[in-house]
Amino acid sequence: MLTPTRLSLGLLAALAFAPALTLASATVTPLNTGWQFRLVPDSALAAQHADQTNWPPAQVPGSVQTDLLTTGNIGDPFYRDNEAQLQWIGLGEWDYQLTFDVDAATLKQDHVDLVFDGVDTFADIVLNDKPLLKTGNMFRQWRLPVKKILHAGSNTLTVHLHSPIAKLQPWLLIQPYALPGEFDTAFGDEPKGRQTSNYVRKANYQYGWDWGPRFVTMGIWQPVNLESWTDARLQDFHIAQPHVDADNAQLAADVTLQAGKAGPARVNVNWTAPDGSTGSMSQDVTLTAGDNALHVPFAIAKPERWWPAGYGEQNLYRFHVDVTRAGSTLVSADRNTGLRSVELKRDHDQWGRGFAFVVNGVPIFAKGADLIPTDSFPERTTPEQLKQLLTSTRDANMNMLRMWGGGYYQSDAFYDMADQLGIMIWQDFMFGGAITPYDHEFLGNSRVEAEEQVRRLRNHPSIVLWCGNNEVQTGWESWPDREDFKKSISADERQRIENGMRELFGNTLRKVVKDNDPDVPYWASSPSTDFDGEANVLNDGDYHYWKVWSGSEPIDHYLDITPRFQSEYGLQSFPVMATIESFATAADMAPNSPVMRAHQKFANGNGNDRLLLYIRANYGEPKDFASFVYLSQLMQAEGIELAAEHLRSARPQNMGSLYWQLNDVWPGPSWSSIDYYGRWKALQFHAKRFYAPVDIVPTRRNGQTTLHLVSDRTTPFQATLRTRVYDMNGKMLSEQSKPVDGAALSSTNVGEFSDAQLLHSARPANTVASFDVIENGNVIAHHLLYFDVAKTLALPRQPGLKAEWRDDGNTLRISARRLARGVWIDFGKLDAHLSMNAFDLLPGEHVDIAVNSGADVASLKAALKMTSLVDAVQPETAK
């Protein structure tokens, strides 16, 4: 994966991103270097791939696919249609092996543990020819006592990886039925309707999704360590927050440790506040030999609380704990966390039952997107790329990401950054929509996974919700394949399946959260009413809306629904041409070429026809492939803007807008606003504007426009609303101004206009209305209103766009003599961060755009290309 260059340089430089937790107890020896791997020589695929049965070097953390790529045994999995040629890898049996030395000092310790932080997924772990464990969950840690198996000098560790498909498919084929899953393979490696992914605790998206490829990975995907200790080993250090308000924070230091022997000890807790002030608390305890859970209550007066982005500072306290015995330190740890209260408010009101996040007593309108995994091969994502992704989130005025349940729990570094940036995280457990088995083994395996992940992540103030799954309940209730399946089984079996889902998502996971992170609310499924009734309803809970796009309904149907919280909705687009050129050749540049269809995962490759449907309905016929790409982004950006602003203007009936989706796992068309390489699409630039703290929202329906002033500010303000009407060539037809009051945390109706009142006698196709909110002489919100879809407008064929580099060389001034619709600034293969892009320009106006790039100004000048809507559409298709 290329390192993206779209950076918010000032903010990135200001962030230290110190780790949230450091431990000092056991001696830790990393075992991540020196590994080798091979295709098992006597396995089924060895005859066809005999050249893979040697022992080339491997990388840990990693996967078989990335190791084959690194060693030059396969080509780029993302290039053209290589995906189809690499499916054999996920069907193979693979060995990983490490020879490592252990010294006598390590063996003198009372305890020596071999710790795998993550194995993907079915593996036999063998040390010095002695079988230790069979793993079966990608998301769990595996700790194995190995002192009696190790010996001084050389030791050999082998991990034998089984294909999850080859392991489960023979069993599944003889079962009376297969539970409904997600997406059938396009490559023939599993029978249609017999998906094994339901039955294994592994990232669902790696089996293929409607935005990503199928690479069924195997490997040691998290670090491996040897841990040795005698006196004590610290297991966890948690700062519980049973009550936090402006005056007082009632807290507790919860320390779990293993002690080598019983006896008296002392727990010392120290903290440093964001302002540099310090405090401490000590408590005497009695340790038992073995496991200990220590609880030390304390309080902090006038806490400096953590706030979401846009509502205050992201204050973080530094806590330190020592457990001492007779003056010697047994264990110690440092922990960063923020102090805050979080509530999911579900009051009954005139619209039904609400769904609103309340942080520190303040109702927060959630503005953001859904986050999918960052790569098909998660070990390739670097902390720098995560930093860039989250900084882009905050740069676009977002305050929440929903971590979707079909991927994997993110790294500690991700949540540390979210804490520091004020990005609230809606955290799904990793169930992506497939119907889950109801057997006790699956339930127990899932419970342990959840316990480990909640304990790992519960100190992050950014996590404001634990959610049981993505779309399991609504799929079971309403999806056609589920309806057919329910008819095919007995009523008793159907009840057992339903009871199993309710037990897992309604009881087991809820109890895990209640027992381990009671300060944060739990929600059974998305969308749902938390098992209070039917899922995906408008008057209760959260809502996923897909009649636009998946149902091919017109984009303006977004205005037809107003849920309590919209946690999914979306439109697709292609990434920029520079990204497309990374996986395709010139011969592939057509919407339905084999390569473009291979990278279009919606509707088995037919998604590009859906894109053309929406483009033609709203803009006309693209001139060429590059125009198709540009128009796909314009359509996506303007469509999602319509929906998002409708949702914001409906506050408090609606209290959240999370569009699908923020990012990509590979380069190709999808619903993302940031592509695989970190490049912003038009939607991300629009989001920066439609998620701004103050927005002016004109909504036109049936010849009537309603104007809402939307404010996320926590205090009221006074401003001036200016309404101007122009013809397309710049003649001002009317202007009026009036004072408006911006209420705190609200959406206020500030105007109603008929078309006749705005147009007077002007032709709708030749006219545009402009609305500005002006505070202390500055425009703080701006919006244009057109009177029909773009393809019917009489847009000037020559808008007179002009680009001028200012004296400092870092500012680009764009101006237009006539109305310019959908202006897009591009530098080809040169990456540059622009403070603004994908905008409309009124006649005679200009914008100054900050440009950050590693390229010099001369190169940027030579590469600069400006496109507007009239450049991309065939004239005969637009009026």
Side-chain angles (χ1 to χ4, degrees):
M1 178 175 175
L2 298 179
T3 300
T5 57
R6 204 232 66 80
L7 299 172
S8 175
L9 299 176
L11 183 54
L12 289 183
L15 296 174
F17 292 122
L21 175 67
T22 56
L23 303 175
S25 56
T27 300
V28 179
T29 304
L31 299 180
N32 299 319
T33 58
W35 287 85
Q36 297 175 303
F37 80 112
R38 68 173 182 178
L39 181 66
V40 175
D42 59 355
S43 62
L45 295 181
Q48 303 103 295
H49 302 279
D51 55 336
Q52 308 300 335
T53 58
N54 300 314
W55 286 102
Q59 294 182 346
V60 171
S63 67
V64 174
Q65 284 87 346
T66 53
D67 284 331
L68 290 171
L69 179 63
T70 300
T71 55
N73 287 292
I74 61 172
D76 181 356
F78 295 167
Y79 187 64
R80 303 195 78 225
D81 54 1
N82 281 356
E83 176 194 4
Q85 313 307 317
L86 301 178
Q87 295 305 307
W88 66 272
I89 301 169
L91 298 172
E93 303 282 307
W94 299 86
D95 283 335
Y96 276 68
Q97 192 168 106
L98 173 70
T99 299
F100 63 99
D101 289 335
V102 175
D103 58 23
T106 297
L107 295 177
K108 286 181 180 179
Q109 298 270 31
D110 288 352
H111 303 270
V112 183
D113 294 339
L114 178 63
V115 183
F116 287 84
D117 284 340
V119 178
D120 179 15
T121 292
F122 291 116
D124 304 331
I125 298 175
V126 178
L127 178 62
N128 293 335
D129 296 323
K130 183 175 179 60
L132 297 180
L133 178 71
K134 293 182 180 294
T135 68
N137 190 319
M138 178 180 180
F139 308 119
R140 285 177 58 180
Q141 183 190 75
W142 307 97
R143 177 176 293 272
L144 309 168
V146 294
K147 179 178 178 177
K148 294 181 180 180
I149 304 171
L150 292 169
H151 44 71
S154 180
N155 295 262
T156 300
L157 176 61
T158 302
V159 178
H160 180 89
L161 295 163
H162 301 275
S163 162
I165 299 172
K167 181 177 178 65
L168 292 176
Q169 191 59 236
W171 168 83
L172 184 57
L173 288 174
I174 63 174
Q175 301 307 304
Y177 62 79
L179 289 167
E182 287 296 338
F183 297 94
D184 284 317
T185 177
F187 305 107
D189 49 340
E190 291 191 284
K192 185 176 181 180
R194 290 269 168 175
Q195 299 170 22
T196 56
S197 58
N198 305 49
Y199 300 90
V200 55
R201 295 305 301 137
K202 174 176 169 60
N204 291 165
Y205 82 104
Q206 294 175 332
Y207 292 82
W209 218 265
D210 57 1
W211 37 256
R214 181 180 176 93
F215 291 113
V216 183
T217 58
M218 290 173 281
I220 306 169
W221 79 292
Q222 295 289 347
V224 185
N225 294 299
L226 197 66
E227 297 186 9
S228 56
W229 59 279
T230 294
D231 294 328
R233 180 180 72 85
L234 184 67
Q235 296 167 302
D236 191 29
F237 172 36
H238 170 51
I239 301 297
Q241 304 183 32
H243 180 80
V244 176
D245 62 26
D247 296 319
N248 192 46
Q250 297 291 332
L251 310 173
D254 289 330
V255 179
T256 56
L257 62 85
Q258 285 183 289
K261 60 182 181 180
R266 189 170 182 81
V267 182
N268 305 296
V269 181
N270 304 283
W271 60 87
T272 302
D275 66 2
S277 61
T278 60
S280 64
M281 177 69 184
S282 297
Q283 182 172 302
D284 292 327
V285 297
T286 300
L287 300 179
T288 60
D291 292 335
N292 293 264
L294 311 177
H295 181 75
V296 182
F298 64 99
I300 297 177
K302 301 295 182 183
E304 299 177 63
R305 291 178 292 176
W306 181 94
W307 291 92
Y311 291 84
E313 297 298 318
Q314 287 72 59
N315 292 312
L316 296 174
Y317 281 73
R318 185 71 169 176
F319 292 93
H320 176 83
V321 66
D322 290 311
V323 180
T324 62
R325 174 189 286 155
S328 297
T329 300
L330 294 178
V331 297
S332 65
D334 293 281
R335 164 74 71 189
N336 286 347
T337 193
L339 307 182
R340 54 90 179 97
S341 66
V342 58
E343 174 192 0
L344 184 58
K345 192 172 183 180
R346 300 190 64 216
D347 291 345
H348 293 277
D349 56 26
Q350 65 266 43
W351 302 292
R353 192 172 185 188
F355 188 102
F357 290 94
V358 179
V359 178
N360 298 330
V362 177
I364 309 292
F365 189 99
K367 304 179 298 185
D370 297 282
L371 181 79
I372 66 170
T374 50
D375 201 299
S376 291
F377 311 106
E379 67 276 2
R380 300 205 299 189
T381 300
T382 66
E384 290 74 23
Q385 289 164 338
L386 291 177
K387 183 192 300 183
Q388 185 174 332
L389 186 65
L390 284 168
T391 305
S392 291
T393 300
R394 178 158 168 167
D395 284 351
N397 289 308
M398 297 182 187
N399 58 30
M400 176 177 278
L401 294 175
R402 171 176 168 251
M403 190 173 295
W404 169 76
Y408 49 84
Y409 307 93
Q410 269 289 351
S411 66
D412 294 332
F414 173 91
Y415 300 95
D416 291 346
M417 297 175 197
D419 293 344
Q420 297 188 47
L421 289 167
I423 306 300
M424 296 182 292
I425 302 297
W426 168 319
Q427 179 65 57
D428 282 2
F429 287 98
M430 291 301 120
F431 297 88
I435 303 305
T436 50
Y438 58 78
D439 60 276
H440 292 298
E441 181 180 356
F442 186 89
L443 183 67
N445 193 5
S446 300
R447 176 186 54 77
V448 175
E449 166 198 322
E451 289 171 342
E452 291 184 2
Q453 293 296 340
V454 172
R455 290 168 186 164
R456 177 174 73 94
L457 300 174
R458 61 186 173 178
N459 288 282
H460 292 284
S462 55
I463 295 179
V464 297
L465 185 72
W466 293 98
C467 180
N469 66 72
N470 170 74
E471 295 186 338
V472 173
Q473 182 186 354
T474 190
W476 180 254
E477 291 175 349
S478 62
W479 292 359
D481 68 321
R482 273 69 166 159
E483 294 291 343
D484 292 342
F485 171 75
K486 286 184 284 189
K487 294 174 184 176
S488 72
I489 59 176
S490 69
D492 288 345
E493 186 65 4
R494 172 178 173 171
Q495 192 62 54
R496 282 189 285 269
I497 293 170
E498 291 179 353
N499 289 345
M501 290 188 288
R502 184 174 287 271
E503 174 58 37
L504 176 57
F505 302 117
N507 299 327
T508 300
L509 297 182
R510 191 185 307 275
K511 187 176 186 301
V512 167
V513 173
K514 182 179 179 181
D515 291 347
N516 295 279
D517 195 17
D519 313 327
V520 175
Y522 174 81
W523 189 246
S525 183
S526 179
S528 81
T529 56
D530 202 32
F531 283 131
D532 279 349
E534 184 180 346
N536 212 37
V537 295
L538 290 171
N539 64 350
D540 190 2
D542 68 312
Y543 192 77
H544 293 188
Y545 183 65
W546 285 106
K547 289 184 178 180
V548 176
W549 181 264
S550 293
S552 300
E553 292 192 5
I555 288 174
D556 64 6
H557 283 200
Y558 279 133
L559 302 177
D560 292 343
I561 57 108
T562 306
R564 306 315 308 264
F565 190 107
Q566 194 150 306
S567 48
E568 275 193 25
Y569 63 100
L571 292 164
Q572 270 203 5
S573 71
F574 265 72
V576 296
M577 288 299 297
T579 294
I580 297 170
E581 289 164 356
S582 74
F583 69 81
T585 67
D588 303 322
M589 301 300 176
N592 281 313
S593 71
V595 167
M596 293 305 160
R597 288 182 61 85
H599 280 251
Q600 170 57 269
K601 295 302 180 181
F602 178 75
N604 298 313
N606 294 319
N608 295 336
D609 290 332
R610 188 68 51 86
L611 277 170
L612 283 166
L613 172 73
Y614 282 107
I615 289 170
R616 288 164 176 158
N618 292 278
Y619 302 98
E621 190 69 27
K623 285 184 177 179
D624 51 28
F625 181 72
S627 299
F628 162 74
V629 169
Y630 160 85
L631 288 168
S632 76
Q633 290 202 21
L634 183 63
M635 178 275 297
Q636 180 195 37
E638 294 189 344
I640 298 303
E641 177 177 287
L642 180 73
E645 291 189 322
H646 164 63
L647 295 170
R648 290 192 73 191
S649 70
R651 179 180 184 156
Q653 180 179 357
N654 177 272
M655 284 298 290
S657 162
L658 304 179
Y659 65 74
W660 186 270
Q661 65 204 60
L662 181 70
N663 61 307
D664 278 328
V665 299
W666 80 326
S670 79
W671 293 266
S672 73
S673 57
I674 302 174
D675 76 18
Y676 175 73
Y677 296 110
R679 297 172 176 132
W680 284 26
K681 296 182 182 179
L683 173 54
Q684 190 74 6
F685 287 102
H686 275 245
K688 184 177 181 179
R689 299 192 288 271
F690 65 65
Y691 280 154
V694 176
D695 193 16
I696 187 72
V697 181
T699 303
R700 180 180 175 272
R701 304 203 75 183
N702 302 318
Q704 190 78 17
T705 296
T706 303
L707 201 61
H708 283 90
L709 177 58
V710 178
S711 175
D712 292 333
R713 293 183 182 180
T714 56
T715 57
F717 65 96
Q718 293 181 326
T720 298
L721 172 64
R722 181 176 65 194
T723 302
R724 297 181 293 180
V725 180
Y726 296 88
D727 71 14
M728 298 291 182
N729 291 313
K731 181 181 178 182
M732 186 182 297
L733 304 178
S734 65
E735 178 177 11
Q736 56 180 308
S737 296
K738 69 173 185 178
V740 290
D741 293 323
L745 302 171
S746 69
S747 172
T748 304
N749 186 326
V750 293
E752 300 274 352
F753 305 90
S754 67
D755 282 356
Q757 288 173 306
L758 289 171
L759 292 168
H760 298 290
S761 59
R763 289 183 58 225
N766 293 72
T767 310
V768 57
S770 172
F771 302 98
D772 296 301
V773 179
I774 303 169
E775 180 185 40
N776 299 324
N778 298 312
V779 175
I780 60 171
H782 167 74
H783 213 299
L784 298 183
L785 174 70
Y786 300 96
F787 294 89
D788 208 339
V789 295
K791 70 178 183 180
T792 68
L793 301 179
L795 296 173
R797 302 303 304 172
Q798 299 293 331
L801 283 172
K802 179 182 178 182
E804 178 186 0
W805 291 88
R806 309 302 286 171
D807 294 340
D808 60 7
N810 296 318
T811 302
L812 183 62
R813 174 167 289 183
I814 306 295
S815 59
R817 293 196 306 273
R818 303 174 189 87
L819 181 78
R821 180 83 185 270
V823 179
W824 180 256
I825 310 300
D826 188 73
F827 296 98
K829 293 184 181 298
L830 299 181
D831 277 313
H833 164 50
L834 304 180
S835 61
M836 184 179 184
N837 207 345
F839 53 88
D840 294 358
L841 263 183
L842 286 169
E845 292 197 347
H846 71 265
V847 293
D848 288 335
I849 301 171
V851 181
N852 248 314
S853 176
D856 59 73
V857 174
S859 299
L860 291 172
K861 285 182 178 179
L864 172 65
K865 180 182 179 182
M866 293 186 294
T867 303
S868 72
L869 177 56
V870 294
D871 302 315
V873 180
Q874 294 180 14
E876 62 271 17
T877 67
K879 296 180 181 179

